Amino acid sequence: MAQPLIHHRTPQFSAVLDSVRQNLKPLFGTGQEIILLASSGTGAMEAVVANLLDPADEAIYVNGGKFGERWGKLIAAHGAVPHEVKVEWGRSVYPTDIEHALAINPATRAVFVQASETSTGALHPIDEIGKITHRRGVLLVVDGITSVGVFEQKMDEWGVDAFVTGSQKALMVPPGLAMVTLSEQAWGRVGKCRGRRYYFDLERELKAQRDEHTTAYTPAVGLVLGLNKALELISAETLPRVFARQQMMAEATRASARALGLQLFADNPAPGLTAMITPQGIDSGKVVRCMRDELGVWVQGGQDHMKGQLIRIGHMGYLSPFDMLTAVSALEIALAKAGHVFESGTGVAAVQTRISRGM
Ligand SMILES: *Cc1c(COP(=O)(O)O)cnc(C)c1O
């Protein structure tokens, strides 16, 4: 990425584009075409809404956190009708709740959900939801922004019709590049959908990327080059080992939370990040700022009504299990400063114990 850029209308760039689009397929678990978009992840979310929903179309969305809420806003912004399935923050959606929502809204065209709701650290059961939507002939749209590249995704097998992700989470690339892939059924819908789009016209992008080996508009060349390298790293490590490494980091981090007397926020926690609840009377914002500004370890707090109450530690992408020793050590120092009482080193020891058990 630090090298001089190559021009995008060249055979050199086309070769990189083809390779990136091909090598992304196993991360989604699909044989379908992958389309790259120059935008953050939300751009790919909007692209899917604009290409699958007509104004006044009805859509169900799972709102179990900030990103689920975003689906609802995007659906409404495009003039379609959002039906919310509200899920308490930290919980996973019950497939029966989707079944119920479909029964009372029989005209629903698509169901929108996150595979991993990053604001709460909760996983949603995409495979089970896929069985329900498939049976009813309703499209299933999944935000995979903290699941693609983190754990095994089986888009084709699960019956996912539209799957999106972004460059800056598990894919180890700076922000600004988004990816989307559609099933046969979803492509059929795109052809008939009159939803408003210009830049995010997926048929036009498919034609450019699949048939002409270029993009419809100027791509984020530097990021595509970076992603090509990241995919080479993943391929060298092998995907199963990438997943096992991230799973180990998740288990080590969860074990450290238990050792320090912090409760996990999610019932069914995602492998990409761990959200922990801070003890009564301790402001998580203070802990997060101390970790960041005094110790140089960057983690996140809670949002909205969970502001001040959550610490979210990401463990996806360019990280090794030993980085969790650093993260948890900083967490301990910051928690102790904030007044939490525990035996120093117990969180770090829990990480070390998990690492020594091996993958
Ligand atoms: C980060 C994230 C997004 C937002 O993507 P942007 O790149 O900020 O637009 C959407 N969904 C999930 C689940 C995320 O984690």
Side-chain angles (χ1 to χ4, degrees), residues 89 118-122 253-254 256-257 260-266 269 272-280 282-292 297-303 306-315 327-328 330-336 338 340 342:
W89 280 39
T118 320
S119 63
T120 67
T253 309
R254 288 173 206 160
S256 77
L260 296 171
L262 305 189
Q263 227 185 308
L264 297 186
F265 187 46
L273 75 151
T274 299
M276 341 176 155
I277 306 172
T278 37
Q280 202 73 44
I282 291 183
D283 173 12
S284 74
K286 246 190 179 160
V287 176
V288 167
R289 280 191 298 276
C290 172
M291 288 176 75
R292 184 190 65 202
V297 173
W298 296 53
V299 299
Q300 291 291 322
Q303 296 159 284
M306 291 312 292
K307 198 168 156 64
Q309 298 176 65
L310 289 186
I311 298 167
R312 291 180 299 141
I313 301 184
H315 30 67
V328 171
L331 174 65
E332 286 196 13
I333 293 169
L335 279 170
H340 183 46
F342 60 95

Short mmCIF file of all heavy atoms in Angstrom, two decimals, residues 89 118-122 253-254 256-257 260-266 269 272-280 282-292 297-303 306-315 327-328 330-336 338 340 342:
data_model
loop_
_atom_site.label_atom_id
_atom_site.label_comp_id
_atom_site.label_asym_id
_atom_site.label_seq_id
_atom_site.Cartn_x
_atom_site.Cartn_y
_atom_site.Cartn_z
N TRP A 89 -30.78 -5.81 24.20
CA TRP A 89 -29.33 -5.73 23.94
C TRP A 89 -28.60 -6.85 24.68
O TRP A 89 -28.87 -7.08 25.87
CB TRP A 89 -28.79 -4.37 24.40
CG TRP A 89 -29.03 -3.25 23.42
CD1 TRP A 89 -30.15 -3.05 22.67
CD2 TRP A 89 -28.12 -2.19 23.11
NE1 TRP A 89 -30.00 -1.92 21.91
CE2 TRP A 89 -28.76 -1.38 22.16
CE3 TRP A 89 -26.83 -1.84 23.53
CZ2 TRP A 89 -28.15 -0.23 21.62
CZ3 TRP A 89 -26.24 -0.70 23.01
CH2 TRP A 89 -26.89 0.09 22.06
N THR A 118 -22.10 -5.94 16.69
CA THR A 118 -20.86 -5.46 17.31
C THR A 118 -21.09 -4.53 18.51
O THR A 118 -20.22 -4.41 19.37
CB THR A 118 -20.01 -4.75 16.23
OG1 THR A 118 -20.12 -5.50 15.01
CG2 THR A 118 -18.56 -4.67 16.62
N SER A 119 -22.24 -3.89 18.58
CA SER A 119 -22.47 -2.98 19.71
C SER A 119 -22.72 -3.74 21.02
O SER A 119 -22.55 -3.18 22.10
CB SER A 119 -23.65 -2.05 19.42
OG SER A 119 -24.85 -2.79 19.27
N THR A 120 -23.10 -5.03 20.93
CA THR A 120 -23.38 -5.80 22.13
C THR A 120 -22.51 -7.05 22.25
O THR A 120 -22.48 -7.69 23.29
CB THR A 120 -24.85 -6.28 22.15
OG1 THR A 120 -25.04 -7.23 21.08
CG2 THR A 120 -25.82 -5.12 21.95
N GLY A 121 -21.87 -7.43 21.15
CA GLY A 121 -21.06 -8.66 21.15
C GLY A 121 -21.88 -9.93 21.02
O GLY A 121 -21.38 -11.01 21.32
N ALA A 122 -23.16 -9.81 20.58
CA ALA A 122 -24.03 -10.99 20.48
C ALA A 122 -24.04 -11.56 19.06
O ALA A 122 -24.00 -10.82 18.08
CB ALA A 122 -25.45 -10.63 20.90
N THR A 253 -10.07 -14.09 26.22
CA THR A 253 -10.61 -12.83 26.72
C THR A 253 -11.80 -13.07 27.64
O THR A 253 -11.93 -12.44 28.70
CB THR A 253 -11.00 -11.92 25.54
OG1 THR A 253 -9.89 -11.85 24.65
CG2 THR A 253 -11.35 -10.51 26.00
N ARG A 254 -12.68 -14.01 27.24
CA ARG A 254 -13.83 -14.34 28.09
C ARG A 254 -13.36 -14.90 29.44
O ARG A 254 -13.91 -14.58 30.49
CB ARG A 254 -14.72 -15.39 27.41
CG ARG A 254 -15.49 -14.84 26.22
CD ARG A 254 -16.19 -16.00 25.50
NE ARG A 254 -16.42 -15.68 24.10
CZ ARG A 254 -16.64 -16.59 23.15
NH1 ARG A 254 -16.68 -17.88 23.46
NH2 ARG A 254 -16.83 -16.20 21.90
N SER A 256 -10.59 -14.25 30.94
CA SER A 256 -10.03 -13.18 31.76
C SER A 256 -11.15 -12.38 32.42
O SER A 256 -11.04 -11.97 33.57
CB SER A 256 -9.12 -12.27 30.93
OG SER A 256 -9.89 -11.39 30.13
N ALA A 257 -12.26 -12.17 31.72
CA ALA A 257 -13.38 -11.43 32.29
C ALA A 257 -13.90 -12.18 33.52
O ALA A 257 -14.10 -11.59 34.58
CB ALA A 257 -14.49 -11.26 31.25
N LEU A 260 -11.65 -11.85 36.45
CA LEU A 260 -11.64 -10.51 37.08
C LEU A 260 -12.98 -10.15 37.69
O LEU A 260 -13.16 -9.04 38.20
CB LEU A 260 -11.24 -9.46 36.02
CG LEU A 260 -9.83 -9.60 35.46
CD1 LEU A 260 -9.61 -8.67 34.27
CD2 LEU A 260 -8.80 -9.34 36.55
N GLY A 261 -13.92 -11.07 37.61
CA GLY A 261 -15.24 -10.81 38.20
C GLY A 261 -16.12 -9.91 37.36
O GLY A 261 -17.00 -9.24 37.89
N LEU A 262 -15.88 -9.87 36.06
CA LEU A 262 -16.72 -9.08 35.16
C LEU A 262 -17.65 -10.03 34.40
O LEU A 262 -17.20 -11.05 33.89
CB LEU A 262 -15.88 -8.30 34.13
CG LEU A 262 -14.79 -7.38 34.64
CD1 LEU A 262 -14.24 -6.55 33.48
CD2 LEU A 262 -15.30 -6.45 35.73
N GLN A 263 -18.90 -9.64 34.31
CA GLN A 263 -19.87 -10.47 33.60
C GLN A 263 -19.80 -10.20 32.10
O GLN A 263 -19.61 -9.04 31.69
CB GLN A 263 -21.25 -10.07 34.09
CG GLN A 263 -22.15 -11.22 34.44
CD GLN A 263 -23.52 -10.68 34.79
OE1 GLN A 263 -23.65 -9.79 35.64
NE2 GLN A 263 -24.52 -11.20 34.14
N LEU A 264 -19.99 -11.23 31.29
CA LEU A 264 -20.09 -11.01 29.84
C LEU A 264 -21.48 -10.45 29.54
O LEU A 264 -22.46 -10.82 30.17
CB LEU A 264 -19.89 -12.32 29.08
CG LEU A 264 -18.53 -13.00 29.22
CD1 LEU A 264 -18.45 -14.21 28.30
CD2 LEU A 264 -17.40 -12.05 28.91
N PHE A 265 -21.55 -9.55 28.55
CA PHE A 265 -22.83 -8.91 28.23
C PHE A 265 -23.70 -9.83 27.37
O PHE A 265 -24.92 -9.90 27.56
CB PHE A 265 -22.57 -7.59 27.52
CG PHE A 265 -23.80 -6.76 27.29
CD1 PHE A 265 -24.74 -6.56 28.30
CD2 PHE A 265 -24.03 -6.17 26.06
CE1 PHE A 265 -25.87 -5.78 28.09
CE2 PHE A 265 -25.16 -5.38 25.84
CZ PHE A 265 -26.08 -5.20 26.85
N ALA A 266 -23.08 -10.52 26.42
CA ALA A 266 -23.86 -11.34 25.49
C ALA A 266 -24.08 -12.75 26.04
O ALA A 266 -23.17 -13.36 26.59
CB ALA A 266 -23.14 -11.42 24.15
N PRO A 269 -21.92 -15.15 22.99
CA PRO A 269 -20.96 -14.14 22.54
C PRO A 269 -20.33 -14.45 21.18
O PRO A 269 -20.07 -15.61 20.85
CB PRO A 269 -19.90 -14.13 23.64
CG PRO A 269 -20.04 -15.41 24.37
CD PRO A 269 -21.44 -15.91 24.16
N GLY A 272 -15.66 -12.43 17.43
CA GLY A 272 -14.86 -11.28 16.98
C GLY A 272 -14.58 -10.25 18.06
O GLY A 272 -13.64 -9.46 17.93
N LEU A 273 -15.42 -10.23 19.08
CA LEU A 273 -15.20 -9.25 20.15
C LEU A 273 -15.86 -9.75 21.42
O LEU A 273 -16.79 -10.56 21.38
CB LEU A 273 -15.77 -7.88 19.78
CG LEU A 273 -17.29 -7.73 19.85
CD1 LEU A 273 -17.67 -6.29 20.18
CD2 LEU A 273 -17.94 -8.16 18.54
N THR A 274 -15.40 -9.22 22.56
CA THR A 274 -16.00 -9.57 23.85
C THR A 274 -16.48 -8.30 24.53
O THR A 274 -15.70 -7.37 24.71
CB THR A 274 -14.97 -10.30 24.74
OG1 THR A 274 -14.58 -11.50 24.06
CG2 THR A 274 -15.57 -10.66 26.10
N ALA A 275 -17.76 -8.27 24.88
CA ALA A 275 -18.31 -7.13 25.62
C ALA A 275 -18.47 -7.56 27.07
O ALA A 275 -19.12 -8.57 27.36
CB ALA A 275 -19.65 -6.73 25.02
N MET A 276 -17.85 -6.82 28.00
CA MET A 276 -17.96 -7.13 29.43
C MET A 276 -18.65 -5.98 30.14
O MET A 276 -18.50 -4.83 29.76
CB MET A 276 -16.58 -7.31 30.07
CG MET A 276 -15.47 -7.59 29.12
SD MET A 276 -13.89 -7.68 29.97
CE MET A 276 -13.04 -8.71 28.77
N ILE A 277 -19.40 -6.34 31.17
CA ILE A 277 -20.11 -5.34 31.96
C ILE A 277 -19.18 -4.89 33.10
O ILE A 277 -18.63 -5.73 33.81
CB ILE A 277 -21.41 -5.91 32.55
CG1 ILE A 277 -22.27 -6.50 31.42
CG2 ILE A 277 -22.18 -4.86 33.34
CD1 ILE A 277 -23.49 -7.27 31.90
N THR A 278 -19.02 -3.58 33.26
CA THR A 278 -18.15 -3.10 34.35
C THR A 278 -18.90 -3.24 35.68
O THR A 278 -20.12 -3.14 35.73
CB THR A 278 -17.72 -1.64 34.15
OG1 THR A 278 -18.80 -0.92 33.59
CG2 THR A 278 -16.51 -1.53 33.28
N PRO A 279 -18.15 -3.48 36.76
CA PRO A 279 -18.80 -3.65 38.07
C PRO A 279 -19.56 -2.38 38.47
O PRO A 279 -19.23 -1.28 38.02
CB PRO A 279 -17.61 -3.88 39.02
CG PRO A 279 -16.46 -4.24 38.15
CD PRO A 279 -16.70 -3.61 36.82
N GLN A 280 -20.56 -2.57 39.31
CA GLN A 280 -21.37 -1.49 39.85
C GLN A 280 -20.48 -0.33 40.32
O GLN A 280 -19.50 -0.55 41.01
CB GLN A 280 -22.15 -2.05 41.06
CG GLN A 280 -23.41 -1.26 41.40
CD GLN A 280 -24.50 -1.50 40.36
OE1 GLN A 280 -24.73 -2.63 39.96
NE2 GLN A 280 -25.16 -0.44 39.92
N ILE A 282 -18.49 1.55 38.62
CA ILE A 282 -17.29 1.86 37.82
C ILE A 282 -17.69 2.27 36.41
O ILE A 282 -18.40 1.53 35.72
CB ILE A 282 -16.31 0.65 37.81
CG1 ILE A 282 -15.74 0.50 39.21
CG2 ILE A 282 -15.21 0.84 36.78
CD1 ILE A 282 -14.73 -0.59 39.37
N ASP A 283 -17.26 3.49 36.03
CA ASP A 283 -17.59 4.03 34.71
C ASP A 283 -16.66 3.42 33.66
O ASP A 283 -15.45 3.64 33.70
CB ASP A 283 -17.44 5.56 34.77
CG ASP A 283 -17.60 6.22 33.41
OD1 ASP A 283 -18.04 5.55 32.45
OD2 ASP A 283 -17.26 7.42 33.30
N SER A 284 -17.24 2.67 32.72
CA SER A 284 -16.39 2.00 31.72
C SER A 284 -15.67 3.02 30.84
O SER A 284 -14.58 2.76 30.34
CB SER A 284 -17.21 1.04 30.87
OG SER A 284 -18.02 1.72 29.94
N GLY A 285 -16.27 4.20 30.67
CA GLY A 285 -15.63 5.25 29.87
C GLY A 285 -14.27 5.61 30.44
O GLY A 285 -13.30 5.80 29.71
N LYS A 286 -14.22 5.68 31.77
CA LYS A 286 -12.96 6.00 32.46
C LYS A 286 -11.92 4.92 32.20
O LYS A 286 -10.75 5.20 31.96
CB LYS A 286 -13.24 6.05 33.97
CG LYS A 286 -13.08 7.41 34.59
CD LYS A 286 -13.14 7.21 36.10
CE LYS A 286 -12.97 8.51 36.84
NZ LYS A 286 -13.49 8.37 38.21
N VAL A 287 -12.36 3.67 32.28
CA VAL A 287 -11.46 2.53 32.08
C VAL A 287 -10.92 2.56 30.65
O VAL A 287 -9.71 2.42 30.41
CB VAL A 287 -12.20 1.20 32.37
CG1 VAL A 287 -11.31 0.00 32.07
CG2 VAL A 287 -12.68 1.16 33.82
N VAL A 288 -11.84 2.78 29.69
CA VAL A 288 -11.46 2.79 28.28
C VAL A 288 -10.48 3.94 27.99
O VAL A 288 -9.48 3.76 27.29
CB VAL A 288 -12.73 2.90 27.39
CG1 VAL A 288 -12.37 3.24 25.95
CG2 VAL A 288 -13.53 1.60 27.46
N ARG A 289 -10.74 5.11 28.59
CA ARG A 289 -9.84 6.27 28.36
C ARG A 289 -8.48 6.04 29.00
O ARG A 289 -7.46 6.39 28.42
CB ARG A 289 -10.48 7.55 28.90
CG ARG A 289 -11.54 8.13 27.95
CD ARG A 289 -11.96 9.53 28.37
NE ARG A 289 -12.58 9.54 29.70
CZ ARG A 289 -13.88 9.27 29.93
NH1 ARG A 289 -14.68 8.96 28.92
NH2 ARG A 289 -14.36 9.30 31.15
N CYS A 290 -8.46 5.44 30.16
CA CYS A 290 -7.18 5.15 30.82
C CYS A 290 -6.38 4.17 29.96
O CYS A 290 -5.19 4.37 29.71
CB CYS A 290 -7.42 4.59 32.22
SG CYS A 290 -5.93 3.99 33.02
N MET A 291 -7.05 3.13 29.48
CA MET A 291 -6.36 2.14 28.64
C MET A 291 -5.79 2.81 27.40
O MET A 291 -4.66 2.56 27.01
CB MET A 291 -7.32 1.01 28.24
CG MET A 291 -7.68 0.07 29.39
SD MET A 291 -8.91 -1.17 28.92
CE MET A 291 -7.93 -2.31 27.93
N ARG A 292 -6.59 3.68 26.79
CA ARG A 292 -6.17 4.31 25.53
C ARG A 292 -5.11 5.39 25.74
O ARG A 292 -4.05 5.34 25.13
CB ARG A 292 -7.40 4.92 24.85
CG ARG A 292 -7.11 5.52 23.48
CD ARG A 292 -8.31 6.31 22.97
NE ARG A 292 -8.56 7.46 23.83
CZ ARG A 292 -9.76 8.08 23.92
NH1 ARG A 292 -10.78 7.67 23.21
NH2 ARG A 292 -9.90 9.11 24.73
N VAL A 297 -3.58 1.16 24.77
CA VAL A 297 -4.35 -0.01 24.33
C VAL A 297 -5.77 0.45 24.00
O VAL A 297 -6.47 0.96 24.87
CB VAL A 297 -4.37 -1.11 25.42
CG1 VAL A 297 -5.31 -2.24 25.03
CG2 VAL A 297 -2.96 -1.65 25.65
N TRP A 298 -6.18 0.27 22.74
CA TRP A 298 -7.43 0.86 22.26
C TRP A 298 -8.57 -0.16 22.29
O TRP A 298 -8.53 -1.14 21.55
CB TRP A 298 -7.24 1.40 20.84
CG TRP A 298 -6.24 2.53 20.78
CD1 TRP A 298 -4.96 2.51 21.26
CD2 TRP A 298 -6.43 3.84 20.22
NE1 TRP A 298 -4.35 3.72 21.03
CE2 TRP A 298 -5.22 4.55 20.40
CE3 TRP A 298 -7.51 4.47 19.60
CZ2 TRP A 298 -5.06 5.87 19.97
CZ3 TRP A 298 -7.34 5.79 19.17
CH2 TRP A 298 -6.13 6.48 19.35
N VAL A 299 -9.53 0.11 23.14
CA VAL A 299 -10.74 -0.71 23.18
C VAL A 299 -11.93 0.25 23.18
O VAL A 299 -11.74 1.47 23.15
CB VAL A 299 -10.77 -1.64 24.43
CG1 VAL A 299 -9.60 -2.62 24.41
CG2 VAL A 299 -10.77 -0.83 25.72
N GLN A 300 -13.14 -0.29 23.20
CA GLN A 300 -14.32 0.57 23.12
C GLN A 300 -15.22 0.40 24.34
O GLN A 300 -15.21 -0.65 24.98
CB GLN A 300 -15.15 0.23 21.87
CG GLN A 300 -14.49 0.61 20.56
CD GLN A 300 -14.39 2.12 20.36
OE1 GLN A 300 -15.31 2.85 20.71
NE2 GLN A 300 -13.28 2.56 19.80
N GLY A 301 -16.02 1.43 24.60
CA GLY A 301 -17.01 1.37 25.68
C GLY A 301 -18.37 0.96 25.14
O GLY A 301 -18.48 0.40 24.06
N GLY A 302 -19.41 1.25 25.90
CA GLY A 302 -20.77 0.95 25.46
C GLY A 302 -21.39 2.15 24.76
O GLY A 302 -20.89 3.27 24.89
N GLN A 303 -22.47 1.89 24.01
CA GLN A 303 -23.17 2.97 23.31
C GLN A 303 -24.59 3.12 23.87
O GLN A 303 -25.12 2.21 24.51
CB GLN A 303 -23.24 2.65 21.81
CG GLN A 303 -21.87 2.59 21.14
CD GLN A 303 -21.91 1.80 19.83
OE1 GLN A 303 -21.97 0.58 19.83
NE2 GLN A 303 -21.88 2.49 18.71
N MET A 306 -26.13 1.77 27.18
CA MET A 306 -25.04 0.99 27.80
C MET A 306 -23.76 1.82 27.94
O MET A 306 -22.72 1.30 28.35
CB MET A 306 -24.76 -0.29 27.01
CG MET A 306 -25.88 -1.33 27.07
SD MET A 306 -26.47 -1.65 28.76
CE MET A 306 -25.02 -2.47 29.47
N LYS A 307 -23.85 3.11 27.61
CA LYS A 307 -22.69 3.99 27.76
C LYS A 307 -22.26 3.98 29.23
O LYS A 307 -23.09 4.06 30.13
CB LYS A 307 -23.11 5.41 27.35
CG LYS A 307 -21.95 6.34 27.04
CD LYS A 307 -22.49 7.60 26.36
CE LYS A 307 -21.62 8.80 26.51
NZ LYS A 307 -20.33 8.80 25.95
N GLY A 308 -20.95 3.85 29.45
CA GLY A 308 -20.44 3.82 30.82
C GLY A 308 -20.46 2.45 31.47
O GLY A 308 -19.91 2.26 32.56
N GLN A 309 -21.13 1.48 30.81
CA GLN A 309 -21.31 0.18 31.47
C GLN A 309 -20.61 -0.99 30.78
O GLN A 309 -20.57 -2.08 31.32
CB GLN A 309 -22.80 -0.15 31.56
CG GLN A 309 -23.58 0.85 32.40
CD GLN A 309 -25.06 0.54 32.36
OE1 GLN A 309 -25.47 -0.51 32.85
NE2 GLN A 309 -25.85 1.41 31.78
N LEU A 310 -20.12 -0.76 29.56
CA LEU A 310 -19.50 -1.87 28.82
C LEU A 310 -18.06 -1.56 28.44
O LEU A 310 -17.72 -0.41 28.15
CB LEU A 310 -20.25 -2.14 27.50
CG LEU A 310 -21.64 -2.76 27.52
CD1 LEU A 310 -22.06 -3.04 26.09
CD2 LEU A 310 -21.65 -4.04 28.35
N ILE A 311 -17.26 -2.62 28.42
CA ILE A 311 -15.94 -2.56 27.79
C ILE A 311 -15.97 -3.59 26.68
O ILE A 311 -16.30 -4.75 26.92
CB ILE A 311 -14.82 -2.90 28.80
CG1 ILE A 311 -14.82 -1.88 29.94
CG2 ILE A 311 -13.47 -2.95 28.11
CD1 ILE A 311 -13.98 -2.31 31.12
N ARG A 312 -15.69 -3.14 25.45
CA ARG A 312 -15.70 -4.07 24.32
C ARG A 312 -14.28 -4.21 23.79
O ARG A 312 -13.67 -3.23 23.37
CB ARG A 312 -16.65 -3.58 23.23
CG ARG A 312 -18.13 -3.65 23.65
CD ARG A 312 -19.06 -3.15 22.55
NE ARG A 312 -18.78 -1.76 22.23
CZ ARG A 312 -18.81 -1.26 21.00
NH1 ARG A 312 -19.09 -2.03 19.97
NH2 ARG A 312 -18.55 0.02 20.79
N ILE A 313 -13.78 -5.43 23.83
CA ILE A 313 -12.42 -5.71 23.35
C ILE A 313 -12.53 -6.49 22.04
O ILE A 313 -13.12 -7.58 22.01
CB ILE A 313 -11.63 -6.52 24.40
CG1 ILE A 313 -11.55 -5.72 25.71
CG2 ILE A 313 -10.24 -6.87 23.87
CD1 ILE A 313 -10.71 -6.37 26.80
N GLY A 314 -11.98 -5.93 20.99
CA GLY A 314 -11.99 -6.60 19.68
C GLY A 314 -10.83 -7.58 19.61
O GLY A 314 -9.73 -7.31 20.09
N HIS A 315 -11.11 -8.77 19.05
CA HIS A 315 -10.00 -9.73 18.84
C HIS A 315 -10.19 -10.41 17.49
O HIS A 315 -10.27 -11.62 17.39
CB HIS A 315 -9.88 -10.73 19.99
CG HIS A 315 -11.17 -11.05 20.69
ND1 HIS A 315 -12.18 -11.74 20.07
CD2 HIS A 315 -11.61 -10.75 21.92
CE1 HIS A 315 -13.18 -11.87 20.92
NE2 HIS A 315 -12.88 -11.27 22.04
N ALA A 327 -3.63 -6.61 26.25
CA ALA A 327 -4.94 -5.97 26.42
C ALA A 327 -5.46 -6.19 27.83
O ALA A 327 -5.93 -5.25 28.49
CB ALA A 327 -5.92 -6.53 25.39
N VAL A 328 -5.37 -7.43 28.30
CA VAL A 328 -5.93 -7.75 29.62
C VAL A 328 -5.07 -7.15 30.73
O VAL A 328 -5.58 -6.71 31.76
CB VAL A 328 -6.13 -9.27 29.76
CG1 VAL A 328 -6.49 -9.65 31.19
CG2 VAL A 328 -7.21 -9.75 28.79
N ALA A 330 -3.51 -4.28 30.51
CA ALA A 330 -3.93 -2.87 30.56
C ALA A 330 -5.31 -2.75 31.20
O ALA A 330 -5.57 -1.83 32.00
CB ALA A 330 -3.95 -2.29 29.15
N LEU A 331 -6.19 -3.70 30.89
CA LEU A 331 -7.52 -3.70 31.49
C LEU A 331 -7.42 -3.79 33.01
O LEU A 331 -8.08 -3.05 33.75
CB LEU A 331 -8.33 -4.88 30.93
CG LEU A 331 -9.71 -5.13 31.54
CD1 LEU A 331 -10.65 -3.96 31.24
CD2 LEU A 331 -10.31 -6.44 31.03
N GLU A 332 -6.56 -4.68 33.48
CA GLU A 332 -6.39 -4.83 34.94
C GLU A 332 -5.91 -3.53 35.58
O GLU A 332 -6.43 -3.10 36.61
CB GLU A 332 -5.38 -5.95 35.24
CG GLU A 332 -5.92 -7.35 34.99
CD GLU A 332 -5.05 -8.42 35.67
OE1 GLU A 332 -4.20 -8.06 36.50
OE2 GLU A 332 -5.24 -9.60 35.35
N ILE A 333 -4.92 -2.91 34.96
CA ILE A 333 -4.36 -1.67 35.53
C ILE A 333 -5.44 -0.59 35.58
O ILE A 333 -5.62 0.09 36.60
CB ILE A 333 -3.13 -1.21 34.70
CG1 ILE A 333 -1.99 -2.22 34.87
CG2 ILE A 333 -2.69 0.20 35.12
CD1 ILE A 333 -0.82 -2.01 33.91
N ALA A 334 -6.20 -0.47 34.49
CA ALA A 334 -7.23 0.57 34.42
C ALA A 334 -8.38 0.27 35.39
O ALA A 334 -8.90 1.19 36.03
CB ALA A 334 -7.75 0.69 32.99
N LEU A 335 -8.75 -1.00 35.52
CA LEU A 335 -9.83 -1.36 36.45
C LEU A 335 -9.42 -1.09 37.90
O LEU A 335 -10.21 -0.58 38.70
CB LEU A 335 -10.18 -2.85 36.32
CG LEU A 335 -11.10 -3.27 35.17
CD1 LEU A 335 -11.13 -4.80 35.06
CD2 LEU A 335 -12.52 -2.73 35.34
N ALA A 336 -8.17 -1.42 38.22
CA ALA A 336 -7.68 -1.20 39.59
C ALA A 336 -7.70 0.30 39.90
O ALA A 336 -8.13 0.72 40.97
CB ALA A 336 -6.27 -1.77 39.73
N ALA A 338 -9.63 2.46 38.66
CA ALA A 338 -11.01 2.92 38.75
C ALA A 338 -11.68 2.42 40.03
O ALA A 338 -12.83 2.76 40.29
CB ALA A 338 -11.80 2.48 37.52
N HIS A 340 -11.88 -1.04 41.11
CA HIS A 340 -12.33 -2.44 41.17
C HIS A 340 -11.32 -3.24 42.00
O HIS A 340 -10.12 -3.09 41.83
CB HIS A 340 -12.45 -2.99 39.75
CG HIS A 340 -12.98 -4.39 39.68
ND1 HIS A 340 -14.06 -4.81 40.39
CD2 HIS A 340 -12.54 -5.48 38.98
CE1 HIS A 340 -14.29 -6.09 40.13
NE2 HIS A 340 -13.38 -6.52 39.27
N PHE A 342 -9.66 -6.72 42.98
CA PHE A 342 -9.40 -8.10 42.52
C PHE A 342 -7.92 -8.37 42.73
O PHE A 342 -7.14 -7.46 42.96
CB PHE A 342 -9.78 -8.24 41.03
CG PHE A 342 -8.99 -7.33 40.12
CD1 PHE A 342 -7.84 -7.78 39.48
CD2 PHE A 342 -9.37 -6.01 39.94
CE1 PHE A 342 -7.10 -6.93 38.66
CE2 PHE A 342 -8.62 -5.15 39.12
CZ PHE A 342 -7.49 -5.61 38.49
#
